Amino acid sequence: MNAPYFVTICTDNKICFFGNVKEGKMYLSDLGQLANKYWLEMEKQFPFVILDHFIVMPNHVHGIINIDNPLSDSRDAIYRVSNSADNPDGVDNPDLIYRVSNSTYNPDGVDNSDAINRVSTVRKIGGVTGNNNPMLHENLSRCMNWYKGRCTFEMRKINTKFFWQPRFIEHVIRNEEDYLKIAEYIQNNPRKWQVDKYYASSI
């Protein structure tokens, strides 16, 4: 889905492979430098990725990643919510769009599965190949799989004991207030390391 995401990736068992925090500043180890290097390379590897704030911490990486795939229709459904009052897209029923776009989070437990299916199929995507178009599968998961795999391959040349935790944590950033809080959290992470929920003593 096209959206800005707040992503967190942790090392296995929260082992501090990536360096140490001293006096509120992060000092990268050799593995930490690789984690930093390959994060920055994601924009070159994936043209649909736009990187924002990120930081490599002793045992995890936080970052804001914008997924912007022009072949995906999913961005419209989630982003038209914030503009529904002005209705710039000429949507006849902004309330329907609101309900549909929030079905991913479904805070009220409302079943909108039928509504989202109707809206998401209004316009066919993927050209003649439809959902088999490989560009439609250029998403956050593919990006994270590449990053974790590339890091693992290079890091185990230095430390054969390196492993990531399975999967990753993601949060869709829905508005500017959410974005500003997350950006501040990333920037202040080293200064607040000892009270961070991912805190672990360094190896």
Side-chain angles (χ1 to χ4, degrees):
M1 179 174 68
N2 285 349
Y5 293 86
F6 174 43
V7 177
T8 301
I9 313 174
C10 296
T11 62
D12 191 42
N13 294 318
K14 296 183 181 178
I15 297 174
C16 296
F17 287 109
F18 298 152
N20 300 288
V21 174
K22 297 178 181 178
E23 299 180 353
K25 186 176 180 180
M26 179 65 195
Y27 292 86
L28 297 174
S29 65
D30 290 343
L31 270 62
Q33 291 178 29
L34 289 174
N36 191 82
K37 173 185 176 182
Y38 292 116
W39 188 273
L40 292 171
E41 286 192 8
M42 280 193 287
E43 275 189 335
K44 298 177 183 178
Q45 186 72 21
F46 301 102
F48 59 90
V49 164
I50 303 170
L51 299 176
D52 204 310
H53 294 283
F54 81 100
I55 191 163
V56 177
M57 292 296 289
N59 59 11
H60 65 276
V61 181
H62 284 313
I64 297 173
I65 297 179
N66 292 281
I67 301 297
D68 187 14
N69 183 352
L71 290 185
S72 174
D73 267 1
S74 56
R75 184 169 196 156
D76 289 341
I78 191 168
Y79 280 99
R80 278 182 286 176
V81 174
S82 61
N83 296 319
S84 60
D86 300 325
N87 200 11
D89 297 320
V91 177
D92 292 330
N93 191 348
D95 179 60
L96 174 63
I97 295 297
Y98 176 82
R99 285 184 282 113
V100 169
S101 63
N102 280 283
S103 64
T104 302
Y105 308 98
N106 202 12
D108 302 317
V110 178
D111 182 7
N112 291 316
S113 56
D114 182 58
I116 194 168
N117 287 335
R118 291 199 307 272
V119 171
S120 63
T121 57
V122 166
R123 184 172 57 186
K124 185 176 180 181
I125 58 176
V128 295
T129 58
N131 285 330
N132 293 322
N133 189 325
M135 284 294 290
L136 297 179
H137 304 288
E138 295 191 338
N139 52 30
L140 183 64
S141 292
R142 183 182 172 198
C143 186
M144 291 296 96
N145 287 339
W146 176 87
Y147 175 73
K148 292 175 73 174
R150 185 70 175 136
C151 284
T152 299
F153 179 78
E154 297 297 338
M155 290 177 184
R156 286 186 184 166
K157 295 178 182 178
I158 300 172
N159 187 335
T160 58
K161 296 181 180 179
F162 174 78
F163 284 92
W164 293 106
Q165 278 188 353
R167 303 181 183 85
F168 59 92
I169 302 167
E170 66 181 68
H171 165 77
V172 178
I173 301 174
R174 289 181 274 182
N175 53 53
E176 185 177 4
E177 181 182 4
D178 197 18
Y179 168 82
L180 292 174
K181 286 180 180 179
I182 291 168
E184 183 180 12
Y185 170 76
I186 292 172
Q187 292 170 342
N188 291 332
N189 210 181
R191 289 193 289 274
K192 298 183 177 181
W193 172 230
Q194 290 191 340
V195 296
D196 192 89
K197 66 180 180 179
Y198 298 105
Y199 175 78
S201 58
S202 299
I203 57 176

